[in-house]
Each structure stands twice: as C-alpha cells, then as structure tokens.
Amino acid sequence: QVQLVESGGGLVQPGGSLRLSCAASGMIFSIQVMGWYRQAPGKQRELVASILSGGNISYADSVKGRFTISRDNAKNTVDLQMNSLKPEDTAVYYCNAVLRRFPLSPSRDYWGQGTQVTVSS
C-alpha cells in the first residue's frame, strides 16, 4: 500500500503565499518523479511542477517565477512554495508520484486526495 498525504491548502488573498507539502509512505522502493497537478472547476487536470529524483525540475509556464518545487528524497516528500498567488491559481492541487514499490516492479502513478487552494479577496 502506498499513500500520498497532502497538507497546506487554504484561502489566501491575491498576492499572498501558501506552501503545500506531500509525504509518500508505504512500501516504496524508489520514486522517479514527484510533482503537483491542479484542476480548476470545469477544466482538465494540468501539471504545475515536477521534480525528478536527480533534481531536474519542470514548471508550467503560468507559474514560472512564482512557484518553487522542492523534494527530500530521504523523506519521500515534495513541497510547493506558491508566491504572488493569483485568482486563476484557484484549484484543487494534487500530489503525484511515479514510483516502484519493489525492485523489479514497473513504475506507476500514485495520487494524493487533493487539497483546495482558493485565491480570493
């Protein structure tokens, strides 16, 4: 069993900051990718940021310069620091991990339950 547990969502005014955290637990051999996705009402889920085990990072164009993703490989955690938040950042944010549970098992996706981020005055 693998669990991804998120924390840190909430309501913030435009221009404010929030920090999301996600911890992966359970039977995990290795995690190749950790990242954050978001889904706004009526829209498809989209990638916000991802970080490989080696440290390579990708950001959606809409969050570059405002969001920072970081990862602790030893603790199997990933954080998303969100600054200069805008109303259009309002969405449910999901933690994602691509991982192997055992040395010879294939990599597969795991998801957290989602945390609401609302940016509004």
Side-chain angles (χ1 to χ4, degrees):
Q1 197 86 1
V2 173
Q3 282 191 316
L4 271 60
V5 178
E6 301 129 335
S7 61
L11 172 64
V12 65
Q13 292 187 340
S17 298
L18 281 175
R19 188 176 184 89
L20 304 182
S21 297
C22 173
S25 63
M27 183 64 72
I28 298 171
F29 173 70
S30 65
I31 303 179
Q32 287 70 59
V33 186
M34 297 193 82
W36 291 92
Y37 288 70
R38 66 186 181 188
Q39 187 166 20
K43 294 188 176 181
Q44 288 190 330
R45 190 174 296 190
E46 63 174 358
L47 175 67
V48 176
S50 65
I51 181 167
L52 304 184
S53 57
N56 286 353
I57 292 173
S58 297
Y59 293 103
D61 287 344
S62 59
V63 307
K64 283 181 181 176
R66 300 188 298 122
F67 291 11
T68 302
I69 190 170
S70 59
R71 173 176 173 174
D72 187 326
N73 289 332
K75 297 181 179 179
N76 289 339
T77 59
V78 62
D79 292 342
L80 185 69
Q81 177 65 42
M82 304 185 294
N83 299 328
S84 302
L85 282 160
K86 305 175 181 180
E88 50 265 42
D89 294 317
T90 295
V92 178
Y93 284 69
Y94 296 91
C95 178
N96 169 264
V98 179
L99 62 87
R100 288 191 178 92
R101 295 192 61 201
F102 306 100
L104 299 181
S105 62
S107 297
R108 55 160 292 191
D109 276 291
Y110 290 83
W111 295 90
Q113 77 283 359
T115 184
Q116 178 70 46
V117 171
T118 302
V119 184
S120 175
S121 54

